[in-house]
Short mmCIF file of all heavy atoms in Angstrom, two decimals:
data_model
loop_
_atom_site.label_atom_id
_atom_site.label_comp_id
_atom_site.label_asym_id
_atom_site.label_seq_id
_atom_site.Cartn_x
_atom_site.Cartn_y
_atom_site.Cartn_z
N LYS A 406 -37.43 61.01 -25.83
CA LYS A 406 -36.38 60.86 -24.70
C LYS A 406 -36.00 59.42 -24.44
O LYS A 406 -34.79 59.01 -24.23
CB LYS A 406 -36.80 61.65 -23.44
CG LYS A 406 -36.68 63.08 -23.45
CD LYS A 406 -36.78 63.74 -22.16
CE LYS A 406 -36.61 65.27 -22.30
NZ LYS A 406 -36.75 66.04 -21.02
N LEU A 407 -37.01 58.45 -24.67
CA LEU A 407 -36.62 57.06 -24.58
C LEU A 407 -35.71 56.65 -25.77
O LEU A 407 -34.77 55.97 -25.53
CB LEU A 407 -38.01 56.21 -24.65
CG LEU A 407 -37.76 54.74 -24.68
CD1 LEU A 407 -37.15 54.23 -23.34
CD2 LEU A 407 -39.15 54.05 -24.90
N ASP A 408 -35.98 57.25 -26.93
CA ASP A 408 -35.09 56.88 -27.98
C ASP A 408 -33.78 57.37 -27.73
O ASP A 408 -32.74 56.66 -28.13
CB ASP A 408 -35.73 57.56 -29.32
CG ASP A 408 -36.77 56.64 -29.96
OD1 ASP A 408 -37.02 55.55 -29.52
OD2 ASP A 408 -37.55 57.27 -30.86
N ARG A 409 -33.56 58.65 -27.29
CA ARG A 409 -32.32 59.15 -26.92
C ARG A 409 -31.54 58.37 -25.83
O ARG A 409 -30.37 58.13 -26.02
CB ARG A 409 -32.49 60.52 -26.40
CG ARG A 409 -31.16 61.35 -26.33
CD ARG A 409 -31.17 62.56 -25.53
NE ARG A 409 -32.20 63.54 -26.02
CZ ARG A 409 -32.58 64.55 -25.42
NH1 ARG A 409 -31.96 65.04 -24.32
NH2 ARG A 409 -33.52 65.33 -25.99
N PHE A 410 -32.33 57.89 -24.83
CA PHE A 410 -31.73 57.09 -23.75
C PHE A 410 -31.18 55.81 -24.33
O PHE A 410 -30.07 55.41 -24.08
CB PHE A 410 -32.74 56.92 -22.63
CG PHE A 410 -32.24 56.24 -21.52
CD1 PHE A 410 -31.41 56.77 -20.60
CD2 PHE A 410 -32.55 54.87 -21.23
CE1 PHE A 410 -30.86 56.19 -19.41
CE2 PHE A 410 -32.03 54.33 -20.10
CZ PHE A 410 -31.34 54.86 -19.22
N VAL A 411 -32.01 55.01 -25.08
CA VAL A 411 -31.70 53.77 -25.56
C VAL A 411 -30.51 53.83 -26.60
O VAL A 411 -29.71 53.09 -26.56
CB VAL A 411 -32.90 53.04 -26.21
CG1 VAL A 411 -32.54 51.81 -26.88
CG2 VAL A 411 -33.93 52.88 -25.21
N GLY A 412 -30.70 54.90 -27.37
CA GLY A 412 -29.64 55.04 -28.45
C GLY A 412 -28.19 55.37 -27.82
O GLY A 412 -27.21 55.20 -28.51
N ASN A 413 -28.13 55.96 -26.68
CA ASN A 413 -26.90 56.38 -26.01
C ASN A 413 -26.75 55.70 -24.71
O ASN A 413 -26.12 56.17 -23.74
CB ASN A 413 -26.89 57.86 -25.84
CG ASN A 413 -26.91 58.64 -27.12
OD1 ASN A 413 -25.84 58.84 -27.74
ND2 ASN A 413 -28.11 59.15 -27.43
N LEU A 414 -27.33 54.45 -24.55
CA LEU A 414 -27.35 53.73 -23.33
C LEU A 414 -25.87 53.45 -22.75
O LEU A 414 -25.64 53.60 -21.56
CB LEU A 414 -28.05 52.37 -23.45
CG LEU A 414 -28.35 51.59 -22.13
CD1 LEU A 414 -29.22 52.44 -21.28
CD2 LEU A 414 -29.00 50.28 -22.49
N ASP A 415 -24.94 53.10 -23.60
CA ASP A 415 -23.63 53.05 -23.08
C ASP A 415 -23.00 54.29 -22.45
O ASP A 415 -22.45 54.13 -21.44
CB ASP A 415 -22.63 52.53 -24.25
CG ASP A 415 -22.91 51.05 -24.69
OD1 ASP A 415 -23.64 50.43 -23.93
OD2 ASP A 415 -22.50 50.77 -25.75
N HIS A 416 -23.40 55.41 -23.11
CA HIS A 416 -22.90 56.69 -22.40
C HIS A 416 -23.56 56.91 -21.13
O HIS A 416 -22.89 57.18 -20.11
CB HIS A 416 -23.28 57.71 -23.45
CG HIS A 416 -23.31 59.13 -22.78
ND1 HIS A 416 -22.07 59.80 -22.42
CD2 HIS A 416 -24.30 59.95 -22.46
CE1 HIS A 416 -22.44 61.00 -21.83
NE2 HIS A 416 -23.70 61.10 -21.83
N TYR A 417 -25.01 56.76 -21.12
CA TYR A 417 -25.61 56.95 -19.83
C TYR A 417 -25.20 56.07 -18.78
O TYR A 417 -25.24 56.28 -17.52
CB TYR A 417 -27.19 56.92 -20.03
CG TYR A 417 -27.65 58.16 -20.81
CD1 TYR A 417 -28.19 58.02 -22.06
CD2 TYR A 417 -27.52 59.37 -20.19
CE1 TYR A 417 -28.69 59.17 -22.81
CE2 TYR A 417 -27.95 60.51 -20.79
CZ TYR A 417 -28.51 60.47 -22.16
OH TYR A 417 -29.01 61.60 -22.95
N ARG A 418 -24.93 54.68 -19.17
CA ARG A 418 -24.50 53.80 -18.05
C ARG A 418 -23.18 54.20 -17.62
O ARG A 418 -22.99 54.11 -16.22
CB ARG A 418 -24.31 52.32 -18.83
CG ARG A 418 -23.79 51.41 -17.80
CD ARG A 418 -23.58 50.07 -18.46
NE ARG A 418 -24.68 49.30 -19.01
CZ ARG A 418 -25.07 49.28 -20.23
NH1 ARG A 418 -24.24 49.75 -21.14
NH2 ARG A 418 -26.20 48.76 -20.66
N GLU A 419 -22.25 54.53 -18.40
CA GLU A 419 -20.90 54.91 -17.83
C GLU A 419 -20.92 56.22 -17.02
O GLU A 419 -20.42 56.30 -15.90
CB GLU A 419 -19.96 55.26 -19.05
CG GLU A 419 -18.52 55.63 -18.56
CD GLU A 419 -17.59 55.81 -19.75
OE1 GLU A 419 -18.05 55.79 -20.95
OE2 GLU A 419 -16.36 55.99 -19.51
N VAL A 420 -21.76 57.25 -17.48
CA VAL A 420 -21.79 58.36 -16.72
C VAL A 420 -22.49 58.09 -15.29
O VAL A 420 -22.05 58.68 -14.24
CB VAL A 420 -22.60 59.50 -17.45
CG1 VAL A 420 -22.95 60.63 -16.58
CG2 VAL A 420 -21.68 59.89 -18.63
N SER A 421 -23.69 57.47 -15.43
CA SER A 421 -24.32 57.14 -14.19
C SER A 421 -23.54 56.31 -13.18
O SER A 421 -23.47 56.69 -11.90
CB SER A 421 -25.69 56.51 -14.43
OG SER A 421 -26.47 57.26 -15.17
N LEU A 422 -22.89 55.30 -13.64
CA LEU A 422 -22.23 54.45 -12.74
C LEU A 422 -20.89 55.08 -12.09
O LEU A 422 -20.64 54.90 -10.85
CB LEU A 422 -21.86 53.08 -13.38
CG LEU A 422 -23.01 52.30 -13.85
CD1 LEU A 422 -22.66 50.82 -14.23
CD2 LEU A 422 -24.12 52.29 -12.86
N LYS A 423 -20.28 55.93 -12.86
CA LYS A 423 -19.20 56.72 -12.19
C LYS A 423 -19.76 57.58 -11.16
O LYS A 423 -19.20 57.71 -10.02
CB LYS A 423 -18.46 57.56 -13.28
CG LYS A 423 -17.56 56.73 -14.23
CD LYS A 423 -16.95 57.66 -15.24
CE LYS A 423 -16.00 56.78 -16.14
NZ LYS A 423 -15.38 57.60 -17.22
N ALA A 424 -20.85 58.19 -11.42
CA ALA A 424 -21.57 59.04 -10.44
C ALA A 424 -22.07 58.23 -9.19
O ALA A 424 -22.02 58.77 -8.13
CB ALA A 424 -22.80 59.80 -10.99
N VAL A 425 -22.50 57.01 -9.45
CA VAL A 425 -22.96 56.20 -8.31
C VAL A 425 -21.85 55.96 -7.33
O VAL A 425 -22.03 55.95 -6.01
CB VAL A 425 -23.58 54.86 -8.76
CG1 VAL A 425 -23.84 53.95 -7.66
CG2 VAL A 425 -24.94 55.20 -9.44
N LEU A 426 -20.63 55.74 -7.81
CA LEU A 426 -19.54 55.53 -6.96
C LEU A 426 -19.31 56.76 -6.16
O LEU A 426 -18.99 56.68 -4.87
CB LEU A 426 -18.08 55.23 -7.80
CG LEU A 426 -18.25 53.95 -8.57
CD1 LEU A 426 -16.96 53.74 -9.31
CD2 LEU A 426 -18.47 52.65 -7.45
N GLU A 427 -19.47 57.94 -6.62
CA GLU A 427 -19.28 59.18 -5.95
C GLU A 427 -20.49 59.36 -5.02
O GLU A 427 -20.24 59.77 -3.78
CB GLU A 427 -19.30 60.35 -6.80
CG GLU A 427 -18.04 60.40 -7.78
CD GLU A 427 -18.10 61.58 -8.79
OE1 GLU A 427 -19.10 62.46 -8.69
OE2 GLU A 427 -17.19 61.74 -9.54
N GLU A 428 -21.72 58.98 -5.32
CA GLU A 428 -22.82 58.98 -4.45
C GLU A 428 -22.63 58.13 -3.26
O GLU A 428 -23.08 58.36 -2.11
CB GLU A 428 -24.14 58.72 -5.22
CG GLU A 428 -24.48 59.80 -6.24
CD GLU A 428 -24.83 61.23 -5.57
OE1 GLU A 428 -25.85 61.40 -5.19
OE2 GLU A 428 -23.98 62.02 -5.59
N HIS A 429 -22.05 56.88 -3.49
CA HIS A 429 -21.87 55.86 -2.53
C HIS A 429 -20.90 56.57 -1.43
O HIS A 429 -21.21 56.45 -0.27
CB HIS A 429 -21.34 54.57 -3.12
CG HIS A 429 -20.73 53.74 -2.04
ND1 HIS A 429 -21.61 52.93 -1.20
CD2 HIS A 429 -19.56 53.36 -1.59
CE1 HIS A 429 -20.87 52.17 -0.49
NE2 HIS A 429 -19.61 52.38 -0.66
N ALA A 430 -19.84 57.03 -1.90
CA ALA A 430 -18.78 57.82 -0.99
C ALA A 430 -19.43 58.90 -0.22
O ALA A 430 -19.30 58.98 0.97
CB ALA A 430 -17.62 58.20 -1.77
N SER A 431 -20.34 59.69 -0.88
CA SER A 431 -21.12 60.73 -0.12
C SER A 431 -22.12 60.20 0.93
O SER A 431 -22.11 60.69 2.01
CB SER A 431 -21.77 61.57 -1.06
OG SER A 431 -22.57 62.55 -0.55
N ALA A 432 -22.87 59.12 0.56
CA ALA A 432 -23.79 58.58 1.53
C ALA A 432 -22.92 57.99 2.69
O ALA A 432 -23.32 58.21 3.90
CB ALA A 432 -24.53 57.52 0.88
N MET A 433 -21.88 57.43 2.42
CA MET A 433 -21.06 56.66 3.59
C MET A 433 -20.31 57.88 4.38
O MET A 433 -19.94 57.52 5.46
CB MET A 433 -19.97 55.78 2.97
CG MET A 433 -20.57 54.50 2.36
SD MET A 433 -21.61 53.57 3.69
CE MET A 433 -20.39 53.34 4.86
N SER A 434 -20.19 59.04 3.89
CA SER A 434 -19.58 60.13 4.55
C SER A 434 -20.43 60.46 5.83
O SER A 434 -19.87 61.19 6.70
CB SER A 434 -19.43 61.32 3.76
OG SER A 434 -20.54 62.04 3.48
N ALA A 435 -21.71 60.08 5.78
CA ALA A 435 -22.53 60.33 7.00
C ALA A 435 -21.84 59.70 8.20
O ALA A 435 -22.05 60.14 9.41
CB ALA A 435 -23.89 59.73 6.83
N ALA A 436 -21.06 58.59 8.01
CA ALA A 436 -20.47 57.90 9.09
C ALA A 436 -19.50 58.83 9.77
O ALA A 436 -19.38 58.81 11.02
CB ALA A 436 -19.85 56.64 8.66
N ASP A 437 -18.74 59.58 9.03
CA ASP A 437 -17.75 60.59 9.65
C ASP A 437 -18.43 61.69 10.32
O ASP A 437 -17.95 62.07 11.38
CB ASP A 437 -16.95 61.15 8.39
CG ASP A 437 -16.11 60.13 7.74
OD1 ASP A 437 -15.65 59.17 8.28
OD2 ASP A 437 -15.94 60.37 6.55
N LEU A 438 -19.64 62.01 9.94
CA LEU A 438 -20.38 63.11 10.72
C LEU A 438 -21.05 62.47 12.03
O LEU A 438 -21.18 63.17 13.05
CB LEU A 438 -21.48 63.65 9.76
CG LEU A 438 -20.99 64.35 8.58
CD1 LEU A 438 -22.14 64.63 7.53
CD2 LEU A 438 -20.23 65.56 8.90
N LEU A 439 -21.46 61.24 11.86
CA LEU A 439 -22.02 60.58 13.09
C LEU A 439 -20.91 60.13 14.10
O LEU A 439 -21.23 60.25 15.33
CB LEU A 439 -22.82 59.27 12.74
CG LEU A 439 -24.16 59.42 12.00
CD1 LEU A 439 -24.51 58.19 11.32
CD2 LEU A 439 -25.16 59.89 12.96
N ARG A 440 -19.76 59.85 13.61
CA ARG A 440 -18.68 59.31 14.54
C ARG A 440 -18.50 60.19 15.83
O ARG A 440 -18.40 59.70 16.93
CB ARG A 440 -17.41 58.98 13.75
CG ARG A 440 -16.46 58.09 14.62
CD ARG A 440 -15.26 57.66 13.73
NE ARG A 440 -15.68 56.53 12.92
CZ ARG A 440 -15.87 56.69 11.57
NH1 ARG A 440 -15.70 57.81 10.91
NH2 ARG A 440 -16.24 55.64 10.86
N PRO A 441 -18.20 61.53 15.67
CA PRO A 441 -17.95 62.28 16.83
C PRO A 441 -19.10 62.26 17.89
O PRO A 441 -18.89 62.28 19.03
CB PRO A 441 -17.79 63.76 16.25
CG PRO A 441 -17.42 63.49 14.79
CD PRO A 441 -18.13 62.19 14.40
N LEU A 442 -20.36 62.17 17.39
CA LEU A 442 -21.49 62.19 18.27
C LEU A 442 -21.56 60.84 19.06
O LEU A 442 -21.71 60.79 20.16
CB LEU A 442 -22.79 62.34 17.52
CG LEU A 442 -22.96 63.59 16.66
CD1 LEU A 442 -24.19 63.56 15.91
CD2 LEU A 442 -22.93 64.75 17.59
N ILE A 443 -21.27 59.70 18.30
CA ILE A 443 -21.14 58.35 18.94
C ILE A 443 -19.94 58.22 19.84
O ILE A 443 -20.11 57.69 21.02
CB ILE A 443 -21.12 57.29 17.92
CG1 ILE A 443 -22.48 57.24 17.14
CG2 ILE A 443 -20.81 55.91 18.49
CD1 ILE A 443 -22.50 56.33 16.00
#
Side-chain angles (χ1 to χ4, degrees):
K406 288 191 172 178
L407 177 64
D408 280 344
R409 187 193 309 175
F410 184 75
V411 175
N413 297 280
L414 188 59
D415 289 343
H416 163 73
Y417 287 113
R418 178 186 293 107
E419 182 179 5
V420 169
S421 293
L422 297 193
K423 286 180 179 177
V425 169
L426 294 179
E427 295 178 1
E428 295 295 278
H429 171 76
S431 177
M433 290 303 300
S434 73
D437 295 327
L438 298 168
L439 285 167
R440 189 172 286 108
L442 301 176
I443 291 172

